[in-house]
Every structure is written in C-alpha cells, then in structure tokens.
Amino acid sequence: MRVLILGIDGYLGWALTLRLIRKGHEIVGVDNFYTRRAVNEVGSDSALPILSMQDRIRAIEEIFGARLEFIEGDVANYDLVRKVVERYRPDTIVHFAEQRSAPYSMIDVNHAKYTIINNLTSTLNVIYAVKEVRRDIHILKMGTLGEYGYPAFRIPEDAFIDAIIQGVRDRITVPRWAGSWYHWSKVFDSYMLLYANKLWGLTITDFHQGPVYGTRTTDIISEELFTRFDVDDVWGTVINRFCAEAVVNHPLTIYGSGLQKKGFTSLEDTITALAALIENPPELGEFRTVHHYREIKTLNEMAELVRRAAKQVLGYEPEITHLPNPRVEPEEDLLYEPEKRVLPKLGIYRLTRVMEDEVVTMLKDLKPYTDRIKRIEALFKPRIKWRD
C-alpha cells in the first residue's frame, strides 16, 4: 500500500512512518518543518534530540533497509498538494499537516488567524486534490476529542445524532463545543470533510483522539529514530510535561484543580490504531468517525502516578503544585466516556502499554537529556491565558 503522510516530521507523523515502513508499506512524506520553527519561536525545543530529515531518511535506510520519499513543502499550497497526489497516487492520505497546539492558537490574533487559515486551507487542498485526481483515495484526518467539549450526553461515534428540537425529531450533526481556536479549526475540518463526502462521495476517516503520551514505539529501536517530544507550556501535552519536570526535580505543575478528566493513549497504541485504520479503510464513499482513547484519568491521578514512578527510577518524589488554569474548561470531575465501536471491531481494544509502565520508560529515556530539559525548565509554567 502506498501512503502519503502530510506532516511527516511531527510526533505522530514520524512514529507512524516507522510503523508503516516496517510493515512493508511504501511511504511518501511532505513537511515544511513549521513545528520546528514554531517551537523555537516560543523559546523551546524537543526534550529528546531529533535528527534532520536528511539524516532521518538515512537512518531508515541503514536500520530498516527501506526507502522514504520526501518532499519539502507547505500543504497550504494547493499546487504542491495536487502535484504530489498526481505523481504518487497514494491509496491513503494521512493528514497531520496542521498547527496542532491549542495554546499557540491563543497567543494573539495573528496566531489565531494562522491556525484557522493554515488548518482549513490545508484540509481544503487535500479535499480538492483527491476530488480532481482520484476520488477513491482514503483520507484519514487527525482530529481530536476536544472538538466535542464536555457534553452531558455520551459522545456517539458517528457524524450524526438523532435529536428532538422544540418538539421536532431530526437527524443532526453531533454537537461540538471546542475549547480553543485550534480545536475550532478541527471542528471546521470535520464539517468540511463531511460536506465533501456528501458532495463527491469521498472516502474519509475522521479520527478523534485525546492526548498522546510516550517516548517510544516498538519501531523506535535507536536514538537515531527518536520522534520529537515536546514538554513546554505551549507544545507539550500534560503527562509528557510531568515526566520532564520529574527528571529535573521540578514540581509537577497541574493547571487548575486537577479534576479535569481526559482520555489518554500511549504513542504505541495510537500508532497501532492508525495503522489498523489505514490497512482496513472504510467502504468506498463512506464517512467513518473513529474515537480512540485507552485510559481515562484526571490530572491529579497522573501526577501521583508520575511521582511514584520518579521514586522508582530517579530515587526521589517530586512535589506537586497547582497553578491557575490558563484555559477555560470544566474543572470538576465530569462523566467522560466517548463511545468506541470501530477500533474494537478491528481487534484494537486492549491496552498494550499501561500508563504506569510507560511512565517508567519515559523517565528512563528522558534522564540522559536532563541538561536539555533544564534549558527550558522556565517554560513549564503557563504563559498564555485564554482570558486576559
């Protein structure tokens, strides 16, 4: 199978590339390295060192004996996207080529505009390239469970829901209430893809997942293959940040009450799910909504988990501190369990990486890079507020 990965240089893009190459698939990648520049813009860096793309390609050839086709370019450029699709005619396009940070989107009007314009433009470009070149290409878009917010109802794994509005029954799109300009861009993505499916019968998987954590998959067998690992207040996810804080004996910084509940998934289980969806596409012309998370935990539970693991790996227990929450989100212990049906039918339902064990691996991987983390230690505290 030939897979085009847009945003191949990112945390998930690179890890998925390694998995698919090891499974014998042909991979073509596109990236403009925006995330590297944007992380540098906020004064940060990947906690784990990552190679240049040229050296990454060389490492794949040396370690796996495989070839990776790479095109440096911006997916917001329609001519580029169309030319790549025309030249390689992939079976699947995986769309990771978007600005992916909620805090980054909330810095100011320019960062908000960039997020909305870049993300929607890149998605439209993918839609039209597939429409014009080959309509049977499977589009797999990386969404987020954050599109939905925290509704009182259990979030259905479907694009539509039956509802009664002012006494009248109708079938409407599943309501969404996003929590940042980034999350709103993903909502618009979903609606645009759903509309493209209605107009032209495009085959689409709308993949929604909670935060991903972890330094390794079974494919990351050497330091040369590391994927990026962000831990600062703008680009880092919460448990990855906790682990980096623990390594430098910095207090684990919980933003808010810590009762916020989310569905977390290890990097390994995320890549396993994505590979399964690529190898088992929807029916031709189908729009498939997929939810993926493995463990539902509060931030307080995760901080305690990291503290216990730090005592085992590092010989000390870091303090836990609560800081004012810069985000606007519920801080009480709400019911949260989005429906999951698609991946269990594909046999993807068991945990292969348990958070307690994975945190130990993360601490061990990060420990040799303590000096790198200390250089960005000041960035653990939130600098961007949703309301000023």
Coordinates of all heavy atoms in Angstrom, one line a residue, residues 145-155 175-179 183 210-211 259-264 296-299 325 327-338:
L145 N -10.7 14.6 20.2 CA -11.9 14.5 21.0 C -12.2 15.9 21.7 O -13.4 16.1 22.1 CB -11.7 13.5 22.1 CG -11.7 12.0 21.7 CD1 -11.2 11.1 22.8 CD2 -13.1 11.6 21.2
G146 N -11.3 16.8 21.6 CA -11.5 18.1 22.1 C -12.5 18.9 21.3 O -13.0 20.0 21.7
E147 N -12.8 18.4 20.1 CA -13.9 19.1 19.3 C -15.2 19.1 20.0 O -16.0 20.0 19.8 CB -14.1 18.3 17.9 CG -12.9 18.4 17.0 CD -13.2 17.8 15.6 OE1 -14.4 17.7 15.3 OE2 -12.3 17.5 14.9
Y148 N -15.5 18.1 20.8 CA -16.8 18.0 21.4 C -17.0 18.8 22.7 O -18.2 19.0 23.1 CB -17.1 16.5 21.7 CG -17.0 15.6 20.5 CD1 -16.0 14.7 20.3 CD2 -18.0 15.6 19.5 CE1 -15.9 13.8 19.2 CE2 -18.0 14.7 18.4 CZ -16.9 13.9 18.3 OH -16.8 13.0 17.2
G149 N -15.9 19.1 23.3 CA -16.1 19.7 24.6 C -16.4 18.7 25.6 O -16.0 17.5 25.6
Y150 N -17.3 19.0 26.6 CA -17.7 18.1 27.7 C -19.2 18.1 27.8 O -19.8 18.6 28.7 CB -17.1 18.5 29.0 CG -15.6 18.3 29.1 CD1 -14.7 19.3 28.6 CD2 -15.0 17.2 29.5 CE1 -13.3 19.2 28.7 CE2 -13.6 17.0 29.6 CZ -12.8 18.0 29.1 OH -11.4 17.9 29.2
P151 N -19.9 17.5 26.8 CA -21.4 17.4 26.8 C -21.9 16.5 27.9 O -21.1 15.6 28.4 CB -21.7 16.9 25.4 CG -20.6 16.1 25.0 CD -19.4 16.8 25.6
A152 N -23.1 16.6 28.3 CA -23.7 15.8 29.3 C -24.0 14.4 28.8 O -24.0 13.4 29.5 CB -24.9 16.4 29.9
F153 N -24.2 14.3 27.4 CA -24.5 13.0 26.8 C -23.2 12.3 26.5 O -22.2 12.9 26.3 CB -25.4 13.2 25.6 CG -24.8 14.1 24.5 CD1 -23.8 13.6 23.6 CD2 -25.1 15.5 24.4 CE1 -23.3 14.4 22.6 CE2 -24.5 16.3 23.5 CZ -23.6 15.8 22.6
R154 N -23.3 11.0 26.3 CA -22.2 10.2 25.9 C -21.9 10.5 24.4 O -22.9 10.3 23.6 CB -22.4 8.7 26.1 CG -21.2 7.9 25.9 CD -21.5 6.4 26.0 NE -20.2 5.6 25.9 CZ -20.2 4.3 25.7 NH1 -21.3 3.6 25.6 NH2 -19.0 3.7 25.6
I155 N -20.7 10.9 24.1 CA -20.4 11.3 22.7 C -20.5 10.1 21.7 O -19.8 9.1 21.9 CB -19.1 11.9 22.6 CG1 -19.0 13.1 23.6 CG2 -18.8 12.4 21.2 CD1 -17.5 13.6 23.8
P175 N -23.3 17.6 18.1 CA -22.9 19.0 18.5 C -21.5 19.0 19.0 O -21.0 18.0 19.6 CB -23.9 19.2 19.7 CG -25.1 18.3 19.5 CD -24.5 17.1 18.8
R176 N -20.8 20.1 18.7 CA -19.5 20.3 19.1 C -19.3 21.7 19.8 O -20.0 22.6 19.5 CB -18.5 20.2 17.9 CG -18.3 18.8 17.3 CD -17.9 18.9 15.9 NE -17.3 17.7 15.4 CZ -18.0 16.6 14.9 NH1 -19.3 16.6 14.9 NH2 -17.3 15.5 14.5
W177 N -18.4 21.7 20.8 CA -18.2 23.0 21.5 C -16.7 23.0 21.9 O -16.3 22.6 23.0 CB -19.1 23.1 22.7 CG -19.1 24.5 23.3 CD1 -18.6 24.9 24.5 CD2 -19.5 25.7 22.7 NE1 -18.7 26.2 24.7 CE2 -19.3 26.8 23.6 CE3 -20.1 26.0 21.4 CZ2 -19.6 28.1 23.3 CZ3 -20.4 27.3 21.2 CH2 -20.2 28.3 22.1
A178 N -15.9 23.5 21.0 CA -14.5 23.4 21.1 C -13.9 24.4 22.1 O -14.6 25.3 22.5 CB -13.8 23.7 19.7
G179 N -12.7 24.1 22.6 CA -12.1 24.8 23.7 C -10.9 25.7 23.3 O -10.2 26.2 24.2
H183 N -8.9 24.0 18.4 CA -10.0 23.0 18.4 C -11.1 23.4 17.4 O -11.7 22.5 16.8 CB -10.5 22.8 19.8 CG -9.5 22.0 20.7 ND1 -8.7 22.7 21.6 CD2 -9.3 20.7 20.9 CE1 -7.9 21.8 22.2 NE2 -8.3 20.6 21.8
G210 N -7.7 11.6 22.3 CA -7.3 12.5 23.3 C -5.8 12.7 23.3 O -5.1 12.2 22.4
P211 N -5.2 13.2 24.4 CA -3.8 13.4 24.4 C -3.0 12.1 24.3 O -3.4 11.1 24.8 CB -3.5 14.1 25.8 CG -4.9 14.7 26.2 CD -5.9 13.8 25.6
L259 N -8.9 18.1 38.5 CA -10.0 17.1 38.4 C -10.4 17.0 36.9 O -11.3 16.1 36.6 CB -11.2 17.6 39.2 CG -11.0 17.6 40.7 CD1 -12.2 18.2 41.4 CD2 -10.8 16.2 41.3
Q260 N -9.8 17.8 36.0 CA -10.1 17.6 34.6 C -9.9 16.2 34.2 O -8.8 15.6 34.5 CB -9.3 18.6 33.8 CG -9.5 20.0 34.1 CD -8.4 20.5 35.1 OE1 -8.1 19.9 36.1 NE2 -7.7 21.7 34.7
K261 N -10.8 15.6 33.4 CA -10.7 14.2 33.0 C -10.6 14.1 31.5 O -11.3 14.8 30.8 CB -11.9 13.5 33.5 CG -11.9 12.0 33.4 CD -13.2 11.3 33.9 CE -13.2 11.4 35.4 NZ -14.4 10.7 35.9
K262 N -9.6 13.3 31.1 CA -9.4 13.2 29.6 C -9.1 11.7 29.3 O -8.7 11.0 30.2 CB -8.3 14.1 29.1 CG -8.5 15.6 29.4 CD -7.3 16.4 28.9 CE -7.4 17.9 29.3 NZ -8.6 18.5 28.6
G263 N -9.3 11.4 28.0 CA -8.9 10.0 27.6 C -7.5 10.0 27.0 O -7.3 10.6 25.9
F264 N -6.6 9.3 27.6 CA -5.2 9.3 27.2 C -4.9 8.0 26.5 O -5.5 6.9 26.7 CB -4.3 9.4 28.4 CG -4.4 10.8 29.0 CD1 -5.4 11.0 30.0 CD2 -3.5 11.8 28.7 CE1 -5.5 12.3 30.6 CE2 -3.6 13.1 29.3 CZ -4.6 13.3 30.2
I296 N -8.9 6.7 30.9 CA -9.5 7.9 31.4 C -8.9 8.2 32.8 O -9.1 7.4 33.7 CB -11.0 7.9 31.3 CG1 -11.5 7.7 29.9 CG2 -11.6 9.1 31.9 CD1 -13.0 7.5 29.8
K297 N -8.2 9.3 32.9 CA -7.7 9.7 34.2 C -7.8 11.2 34.4 O -7.9 12.0 33.4 CB -6.2 9.3 34.2 CG -5.9 7.8 34.2 CD -4.4 7.5 34.4 CE -4.2 6.0 34.4 NZ -4.8 5.3 35.5
T298 N -7.8 11.6 35.7 CA -7.7 13.0 36.0 C -6.2 13.4 36.0 O -5.3 12.6 36.1 CB -8.3 13.3 37.3 OG1 -7.6 12.7 38.4 CG2 -9.8 12.8 37.4
L299 N -6.0 14.8 35.9 CA -4.6 15.3 36.0 C -4.0 14.9 37.4 O -2.8 14.6 37.4 CB -4.6 16.8 35.8 CG -5.3 17.3 34.5 CD1 -5.0 18.8 34.3 CD2 -4.9 16.5 33.3
N325 N -5.4 27.9 36.2 CA -5.6 27.3 34.9 C -5.7 28.4 33.9 O -6.7 29.2 34.0 CB -6.8 26.4 34.9 CG -7.0 25.6 33.7 OD1 -6.2 25.7 32.8 ND2 -7.9 24.7 33.7
R327 N -6.6 28.0 30.9 CA -7.7 27.6 29.9 C -9.0 27.8 30.5 O -9.2 28.0 31.7 CB -7.5 26.1 29.5 CG -6.2 25.7 28.9 CD -6.2 24.3 28.4 NE -4.9 24.0 27.8 CZ -4.7 23.2 26.8 NH1 -5.8 22.6 26.2 NH2 -3.5 22.9 26.4
V328 N -10.0 27.9 29.6 CA -11.4 27.9 30.1 C -12.0 26.5 29.8 O -12.3 26.2 28.7 CB -12.2 29.0 29.3 CG1 -13.7 29.0 29.7 CG2 -11.6 30.4 29.5
E329 N -12.2 25.8 30.9 CA -12.6 24.4 30.8 C -13.2 24.0 32.1 O -12.9 24.5 33.2 CB -11.5 23.5 30.4 CG -10.4 23.4 31.5 CD -9.2 22.5 31.1 OE1 -9.3 21.9 30.0 OE2 -8.2 22.5 31.8
P330 N -14.1 23.0 32.1 CA -14.7 22.5 33.4 C -13.5 21.9 34.3 O -12.7 21.2 33.8 CB -15.6 21.4 33.0 CG -15.9 21.6 31.5 CD -14.7 22.2 31.0
E331 N -13.6 22.2 35.5 CA -12.5 21.7 36.5 C -13.1 20.8 37.5 O -12.5 20.6 38.5 CB -11.8 22.9 37.1 CG -11.0 23.7 36.1 CD -10.0 24.6 36.8 OE1 -9.3 24.2 37.7 OE2 -9.9 25.8 36.3
E332 N -14.3 20.3 37.3 CA -14.9 19.3 38.2 C -14.8 17.9 37.6 O -14.5 17.8 36.4 CB -16.4 19.7 38.5 CG -17.3 19.7 37.3 CD -17.4 21.1 36.7 OE1 -16.4 21.9 36.8 OE2 -18.4 21.4 36.1
D333 N -15.1 16.9 38.4 CA -15.0 15.5 37.9 C -16.2 15.1 37.2 O -17.2 14.7 37.7 CB -14.8 14.6 39.1 CG -14.4 13.2 38.7 OD1 -14.3 12.9 37.5 OD2 -14.2 12.4 39.6
L334 N -16.2 15.4 35.8 CA -17.4 15.1 35.0 C -17.4 13.7 34.4 O -16.3 13.0 34.3 CB -17.4 16.1 33.8 CG -17.5 17.6 34.2 CD1 -17.4 18.4 32.9 CD2 -18.8 17.9 34.9
L335 N -18.6 13.2 34.1 CA -18.7 12.0 33.3 C -18.1 12.2 32.0 O -18.4 13.1 31.3 CB -20.2 11.6 33.2 CG -20.4 10.3 32.3 CD1 -19.9 9.1 33.0 CD2 -21.9 10.2 32.0
Y336 N -17.1 11.3 31.6 CA -16.5 11.4 30.3 C -16.1 10.0 29.8 O -15.2 9.4 30.3 CB -15.2 12.3 30.4 CG -14.5 12.6 29.1 CD1 -15.0 13.5 28.2 CD2 -13.4 11.9 28.7 CE1 -14.4 13.8 27.0 CE2 -12.8 12.1 27.5 CZ -13.3 13.1 26.7 OH -12.7 13.3 25.5
E337 N -16.9 9.6 28.7 CA -16.6 8.3 28.1 C -17.2 8.3 26.7 O -18.2 7.7 26.5 CB -17.2 7.2 29.0 CG -16.8 5.8 28.6 CD -17.4 4.7 29.4 OE1 -18.0 5.0 30.4 OE2 -17.2 3.5 29.0
P338 N -16.5 8.9 25.8 CA -16.9 8.8 24.4 C -17.1 7.4 23.9 O -16.3 6.5 24.3 CB -15.8 9.6 23.6 CG -15.2 10.4 24.6 CD -15.2 9.7 25.9

